[in-house]
Amino acid sequence: MADTHDRRRHTRFDITLNGLLTAPGRPVSRCVVRDYCLGGLLVETPGRSTNGPRVGDEVRVDAKLELPEGPRPVAIKARVVWARESYFGLSFGDQSPDYVALLGQHGHSVAEHGGVGRISGSEARARAKLRHAGTRLLPTLLRDLLVDANER
């Protein structure tokens, strides 16, 4: 028989959200939220120690969501319902639809909604290279191809 945490009651959505996991009486640890659903979160703590949260502990995940209107800090309160190596299954409290709605917006830029979004430095460099190729290299390549085709 499968473990209870392997049976899914809700559709799960992938996410990569860095944060901090806090449990009363335990040290704060870095974590990564790997997926979420209406029922809770799957959280990974790299290099789990023996003083991490235990099943039944009330915990809080502090993170910064990247929303269309800009970064927004969020503190998600939950309970540890299962623990396996460096992974924890967390169950939301009463506000799960609100958490799911917020988590669903994470990573969507304003540009996807018709406005101008904030982009990372690496994305800006990639866009600049594409713009350079489109304005300088591509017309030259197209002209050369047209000349070659015309000569044939």
Side-chain angles (χ1 to χ4, degrees), residues 55-106:
V55 173
D57 284 353
E58 293 286 332
V59 297
R60 188 179 77 214
V61 176
D62 294 300
K64 189 176 287 188
L65 296 173
E66 293 296 329
L67 301 178
E69 55 274 0
R72 176 179 172 189
V74 64
I76 301 172
K77 294 180 182 176
R79 177 184 300 273
V80 178
V81 291
W82 62 265
R84 184 183 286 169
E85 297 176 10
S86 62
Y87 290 90
F88 298 93
L90 306 182
S91 176
F92 290 134
D94 296 332
Q95 302 172 345
S96 61
D98 297 336
Y99 288 143
V100 170
L102 274 174
L103 291 168
Q105 295 177 33
H106 174 68

Side-chain angles (χ1 to χ4, degrees), residues 17-146:
L17 178 63
N18 295 314
L20 297 173
L21 182 67
T22 307
R26 308 231 188 255
V28 175
S29 59
R30 292 188 182 276
C31 70
V32 179
V33 177
R34 295 294 180 191
D35 69 25
Y36 66 95
C37 69
L38 191 59
L41 304 168
L42 172 64
V43 174
E44 178 185 9
T45 56
R48 179 182 177 210
S49 65
T50 55
N51 19 335
R54 307 240 189 279
V55 173
D57 284 353
E58 293 286 332
V59 297
R60 188 179 77 214
V61 176
D62 294 300
K64 189 176 287 188
L65 296 173
E66 293 296 329
L67 301 178
E69 55 274 0
R72 176 179 172 189
V74 64
I76 301 172
K77 294 180 182 176
R79 177 184 300 273
V80 178
V81 291
W82 62 265
R84 184 183 286 169
E85 297 176 10
S86 62
Y87 290 90
F88 298 93
L90 306 182
S91 176
F92 290 134
D94 296 332
Q95 302 172 345
S96 61
D98 297 336
Y99 288 143
V100 170
L102 274 174
L103 291 168
Q105 295 177 33
H106 174 68
H108 294 277
S109 70
V110 176
E112 293 171 340
H113 303 287
V116 176
R118 296 169 23 136
I119 58 173
S120 68
S122 60
E123 188 176 349
R125 285 188 293 279
R127 286 185 181 184
K129 287 179 183 178
L130 287 172
R131 196 168 26 258
H132 171 73
T135 57
R136 292 198 175 87
L137 299 177
L138 191 57
T140 303
L141 290 173
L142 285 175
R143 187 174 54 243
D144 292 344
L145 285 173
L146 290 173

Side-chain angles (χ1 to χ4, degrees), residues 3-19:
D3 293 334
T4 56
H5 59 274
D6 289 331
R7 291 178 292 199
R8 304 287 186 221
R9 290 184 290 166
H10 306 288
T11 304
R12 293 206 163 261
F13 303 99
D14 291 331
I15 190 171
T16 302
L17 178 63
N18 295 314

